[in-house]
Amino acid sequence: MSATILLVDSDTISLMVCKAVLSSHYTIITANSGVQALGCLRGQALPDLILLGLDMPGMDGISLLDALKSQERTKDIPVVLCSAVNDLNAMAEAFQKGAVEFLQKPAIPLLLQQKVSLLLELVSLRRENARLKSLSAQT
């Protein structure tokens, strides 16, 4: 089964590049804003990973990250923040609020593929660990 990634960015070119790099290996859902991303997450299967642009009009990446981490349904989805600006304060805030990675834009295809692959492997291992703990608790 292919992992699902939600790409959220107001920069259409960034969305297209990330989708082109990742779509041959993963199912990709895109959203152009934080509000649209929250709508994508209502009532459907959750993505395995979210790549999120930092600088978006309206609900920026940090605000969306806050919203995701405050909801029981979405709090455990790993979130990667992406920004064209090398802002150490924004990076620190993103990590404090629960981001698992911070990537520079424009995306470097090989780096993006490797980071996503490693993060999805971690997701898979955490799910397997939870499943084994559940089985162990039943015996």
Side-chain angles (χ1 to χ4, degrees), residues 77-112:
I77 302 170
V79 177
V80 176
L81 266 287
C82 305
S83 178
V85 178
N86 192 8
D87 181 346
L88 294 177
N89 290 329
M91 272 189 222
E93 185 177 9
F95 285 122
Q96 288 172 344
K97 294 186 180 269
V100 297
E101 184 62 83
F102 197 100
L103 295 176
Q104 194 74 26
K105 291 192 310 189
I108 299 169
L110 183 58
L111 180 62
L112 180 61

Short mmCIF file of all heavy atoms in Angstrom, two decimals, residues 77-112:
data_model
loop_
_atom_site.label_atom_id
_atom_site.label_comp_id
_atom_site.label_asym_id
_atom_site.label_seq_id
_atom_site.Cartn_x
_atom_site.Cartn_y
_atom_site.Cartn_z
N ILE A 77 0.28 12.96 13.17
CA ILE A 77 0.79 12.97 11.79
C ILE A 77 2.08 13.77 11.76
O ILE A 77 2.10 14.93 12.19
CB ILE A 77 -0.23 13.60 10.81
CG1 ILE A 77 -1.56 12.88 10.86
CG2 ILE A 77 0.35 13.61 9.39
CD1 ILE A 77 -2.67 13.59 10.10
N PRO A 78 3.18 13.19 11.27
CA PRO A 78 4.42 13.96 11.18
C PRO A 78 4.28 15.10 10.17
O PRO A 78 3.70 14.93 9.10
CB PRO A 78 5.46 12.95 10.69
CG PRO A 78 4.81 11.63 10.70
CD PRO A 78 3.33 11.82 10.83
N VAL A 79 4.79 16.28 10.57
CA VAL A 79 4.69 17.47 9.74
C VAL A 79 6.10 18.00 9.45
O VAL A 79 6.89 18.18 10.37
CB VAL A 79 3.86 18.57 10.43
CG1 VAL A 79 3.83 19.83 9.58
CG2 VAL A 79 2.44 18.07 10.71
N VAL A 80 6.35 18.25 8.17
CA VAL A 80 7.60 18.84 7.72
C VAL A 80 7.29 20.26 7.25
O VAL A 80 6.42 20.44 6.40
CB VAL A 80 8.22 18.03 6.56
CG1 VAL A 80 9.47 18.71 6.02
CG2 VAL A 80 8.51 16.60 6.99
N LEU A 81 7.97 21.25 7.81
CA LEU A 81 7.80 22.64 7.37
C LEU A 81 8.81 22.93 6.28
O LEU A 81 9.95 22.46 6.34
CB LEU A 81 8.03 23.60 8.53
CG LEU A 81 6.82 24.08 9.33
CD1 LEU A 81 5.99 25.06 8.56
CD2 LEU A 81 6.00 23.00 9.91
N CYS A 82 8.40 23.70 5.28
CA CYS A 82 9.27 24.07 4.16
C CYS A 82 9.23 25.58 3.99
O CYS A 82 8.16 26.17 4.02
CB CYS A 82 8.79 23.41 2.87
SG CYS A 82 8.61 21.63 2.97
N SER A 83 10.41 26.18 3.78
CA SER A 83 10.46 27.63 3.61
C SER A 83 11.62 28.03 2.73
O SER A 83 12.69 27.42 2.77
CB SER A 83 10.58 28.33 4.96
OG SER A 83 10.67 29.72 4.79
N ALA A 84 11.41 29.09 1.95
CA ALA A 84 12.48 29.65 1.13
C ALA A 84 13.35 30.58 1.95
O ALA A 84 14.46 30.93 1.55
CB ALA A 84 11.88 30.41 -0.05
N VAL A 85 12.87 30.98 3.12
CA VAL A 85 13.60 31.89 3.99
C VAL A 85 14.32 31.08 5.07
O VAL A 85 13.71 30.23 5.72
CB VAL A 85 12.64 32.90 4.65
CG1 VAL A 85 13.38 33.83 5.59
CG2 VAL A 85 11.87 33.68 3.60
N ASN A 86 15.60 31.32 5.25
CA ASN A 86 16.38 30.62 6.26
C ASN A 86 16.23 31.38 7.58
O ASN A 86 17.10 32.15 7.97
CB ASN A 86 17.85 30.54 5.83
CG ASN A 86 18.63 29.58 6.68
OD1 ASN A 86 18.07 28.87 7.51
ND2 ASN A 86 19.93 29.57 6.50
N ASP A 87 15.12 31.16 8.26
CA ASP A 87 14.77 31.88 9.48
C ASP A 87 14.91 30.94 10.68
O ASP A 87 14.08 30.06 10.90
CB ASP A 87 13.34 32.40 9.34
CG ASP A 87 12.86 33.19 10.54
OD1 ASP A 87 13.51 33.16 11.61
OD2 ASP A 87 11.82 33.85 10.41
N LEU A 88 15.99 31.14 11.46
CA LEU A 88 16.25 30.26 12.60
C LEU A 88 15.15 30.35 13.66
O LEU A 88 14.82 29.34 14.29
CB LEU A 88 17.60 30.58 13.22
CG LEU A 88 18.81 30.29 12.33
CD1 LEU A 88 20.09 30.72 13.02
CD2 LEU A 88 18.87 28.81 11.97
N ASN A 89 14.56 31.52 13.84
CA ASN A 89 13.47 31.64 14.81
C ASN A 89 12.25 30.84 14.38
O ASN A 89 11.62 30.17 15.20
CB ASN A 89 13.09 33.12 15.01
CG ASN A 89 14.18 33.89 15.73
OD1 ASN A 89 14.90 33.34 16.56
ND2 ASN A 89 14.30 35.17 15.41
N ALA A 90 11.94 30.89 13.09
CA ALA A 90 10.80 30.11 12.57
C ALA A 90 11.09 28.61 12.70
O ALA A 90 10.20 27.84 13.04
CB ALA A 90 10.51 30.48 11.12
N MET A 91 12.33 28.22 12.42
CA MET A 91 12.70 26.80 12.57
C MET A 91 12.51 26.35 14.01
O MET A 91 11.92 25.30 14.27
CB MET A 91 14.17 26.59 12.18
CG MET A 91 14.41 26.32 10.76
SD MET A 91 16.15 25.84 10.57
CE MET A 91 16.52 26.74 9.10
N ALA A 92 13.04 27.14 14.94
CA ALA A 92 12.94 26.79 16.36
C ALA A 92 11.47 26.68 16.78
O ALA A 92 11.07 25.74 17.47
CB ALA A 92 13.68 27.81 17.21
N GLU A 93 10.66 27.65 16.35
CA GLU A 93 9.24 27.63 16.70
C GLU A 93 8.55 26.40 16.11
O GLU A 93 7.74 25.75 16.78
CB GLU A 93 8.57 28.91 16.22
CG GLU A 93 7.12 29.01 16.65
CD GLU A 93 6.45 30.30 16.24
OE1 GLU A 93 7.03 31.09 15.47
OE2 GLU A 93 5.31 30.52 16.71
N ALA A 94 8.89 26.07 14.86
CA ALA A 94 8.29 24.90 14.22
C ALA A 94 8.61 23.62 14.99
O ALA A 94 7.72 22.80 15.25
CB ALA A 94 8.78 24.79 12.78
N PHE A 95 9.86 23.47 15.41
CA PHE A 95 10.23 22.27 16.16
C PHE A 95 9.57 22.26 17.54
O PHE A 95 9.12 21.21 18.00
CB PHE A 95 11.75 22.14 16.27
CG PHE A 95 12.40 21.67 15.00
CD1 PHE A 95 13.38 22.45 14.39
CD2 PHE A 95 12.05 20.48 14.40
CE1 PHE A 95 13.99 22.04 13.21
CE2 PHE A 95 12.65 20.05 13.22
CZ PHE A 95 13.61 20.84 12.63
N GLN A 96 9.49 23.41 18.19
CA GLN A 96 8.84 23.48 19.50
C GLN A 96 7.37 23.11 19.41
O GLN A 96 6.80 22.56 20.34
CB GLN A 96 8.97 24.89 20.09
CG GLN A 96 10.37 25.22 20.55
CD GLN A 96 10.53 26.67 20.95
OE1 GLN A 96 9.70 27.52 20.62
NE2 GLN A 96 11.60 26.97 21.65
N LYS A 97 6.75 23.40 18.28
CA LYS A 97 5.32 23.14 18.11
C LYS A 97 5.04 21.75 17.52
O LYS A 97 3.89 21.40 17.29
CB LYS A 97 4.68 24.23 17.27
CG LYS A 97 4.72 25.57 17.99
CD LYS A 97 3.96 26.62 17.26
CE LYS A 97 4.03 27.93 18.02
NZ LYS A 97 2.93 28.10 18.94
N GLY A 98 6.10 20.97 17.26
CA GLY A 98 5.87 19.59 16.86
C GLY A 98 6.28 19.19 15.47
O GLY A 98 6.05 18.05 15.06
N ALA A 99 6.89 20.08 14.70
CA ALA A 99 7.38 19.68 13.37
C ALA A 99 8.51 18.66 13.55
O ALA A 99 9.26 18.72 14.52
CB ALA A 99 7.89 20.89 12.59
N VAL A 100 8.62 17.73 12.60
CA VAL A 100 9.67 16.72 12.68
C VAL A 100 10.87 17.04 11.79
O VAL A 100 11.92 16.43 11.92
CB VAL A 100 9.14 15.30 12.33
CG1 VAL A 100 8.08 14.87 13.34
CG2 VAL A 100 8.60 15.25 10.90
N GLU A 101 10.68 18.00 10.88
CA GLU A 101 11.77 18.37 9.96
C GLU A 101 11.47 19.74 9.40
O GLU A 101 10.32 20.20 9.39
CB GLU A 101 11.87 17.33 8.83
CG GLU A 101 13.01 17.53 7.86
CD GLU A 101 14.39 17.46 8.50
OE1 GLU A 101 14.89 16.34 8.68
OE2 GLU A 101 14.94 18.52 8.82
N PHE A 102 12.51 20.40 8.94
CA PHE A 102 12.39 21.72 8.32
C PHE A 102 13.25 21.70 7.07
O PHE A 102 14.46 21.47 7.16
CB PHE A 102 12.89 22.80 9.29
CG PHE A 102 12.44 24.19 8.94
CD1 PHE A 102 11.37 24.77 9.58
CD2 PHE A 102 13.10 24.92 7.96
CE1 PHE A 102 10.95 26.06 9.27
CE2 PHE A 102 12.70 26.21 7.64
CZ PHE A 102 11.62 26.78 8.29
N LEU A 103 12.64 21.86 5.90
CA LEU A 103 13.36 21.80 4.63
C LEU A 103 13.39 23.15 3.95
O LEU A 103 12.42 23.91 4.00
CB LEU A 103 12.71 20.78 3.69
CG LEU A 103 12.74 19.33 4.12
CD1 LEU A 103 11.97 18.47 3.13
CD2 LEU A 103 14.17 18.84 4.25
N GLN A 104 14.48 23.42 3.29
CA GLN A 104 14.66 24.65 2.53
C GLN A 104 13.99 24.51 1.17
O GLN A 104 14.03 23.46 0.55
CB GLN A 104 16.16 24.91 2.35
CG GLN A 104 16.52 26.28 1.87
CD GLN A 104 16.36 27.36 2.94
OE1 GLN A 104 16.45 27.09 4.12
NE2 GLN A 104 16.10 28.56 2.51
N LYS A 105 13.34 25.59 0.71
CA LYS A 105 12.80 25.64 -0.65
C LYS A 105 13.73 26.51 -1.48
O LYS A 105 14.34 27.42 -0.93
CB LYS A 105 11.39 26.27 -0.67
CG LYS A 105 10.34 25.42 -0.04
CD LYS A 105 8.91 25.85 -0.28
CE LYS A 105 8.54 27.25 -0.03
NZ LYS A 105 7.09 27.52 -0.09
N PRO A 106 13.90 26.28 -2.73
CA PRO A 106 13.20 25.26 -3.51
C PRO A 106 13.70 23.86 -3.14
O PRO A 106 14.84 23.69 -2.71
CB PRO A 106 13.54 25.61 -4.96
CG PRO A 106 14.84 26.33 -4.88
CD PRO A 106 14.83 27.06 -3.56
N ALA A 107 12.82 22.91 -3.30
CA ALA A 107 13.14 21.53 -2.95
C ALA A 107 14.24 20.98 -3.84
O ALA A 107 14.23 21.19 -5.05
CB ALA A 107 11.89 20.66 -3.08
N ILE A 108 15.18 20.30 -3.21
CA ILE A 108 16.20 19.56 -3.95
C ILE A 108 15.64 18.14 -4.08
O ILE A 108 15.45 17.46 -3.06
CB ILE A 108 17.55 19.57 -3.20
CG1 ILE A 108 18.04 21.01 -3.04
CG2 ILE A 108 18.56 18.69 -3.92
CD1 ILE A 108 19.21 21.16 -2.08
N PRO A 109 15.33 17.70 -5.30
CA PRO A 109 14.60 16.43 -5.46
C PRO A 109 15.18 15.25 -4.68
O PRO A 109 14.42 14.56 -3.99
CB PRO A 109 14.64 16.20 -6.97
CG PRO A 109 14.67 17.58 -7.54
CD PRO A 109 15.54 18.37 -6.58
N LEU A 110 16.46 14.98 -4.78
CA LEU A 110 17.03 13.83 -4.09
C LEU A 110 16.90 13.96 -2.58
O LEU A 110 16.54 13.01 -1.89
CB LEU A 110 18.50 13.63 -4.48
CG LEU A 110 19.19 12.42 -3.88
CD1 LEU A 110 18.46 11.13 -4.26
CD2 LEU A 110 20.64 12.36 -4.32
N LEU A 111 17.15 15.16 -2.05
CA LEU A 111 17.02 15.39 -0.62
C LEU A 111 15.57 15.21 -0.17
O LEU A 111 15.30 14.56 0.85
CB LEU A 111 17.52 16.80 -0.26
CG LEU A 111 17.46 17.18 1.20
CD1 LEU A 111 18.34 16.27 2.05
CD2 LEU A 111 17.87 18.63 1.37
N LEU A 112 14.64 15.74 -0.93
CA LEU A 112 13.23 15.59 -0.61
C LEU A 112 12.82 14.13 -0.59
O LEU A 112 12.18 13.65 0.35
CB LEU A 112 12.38 16.37 -1.62
CG LEU A 112 10.87 16.31 -1.43
CD1 LEU A 112 10.44 16.89 -0.08
CD2 LEU A 112 10.17 17.04 -2.57
#
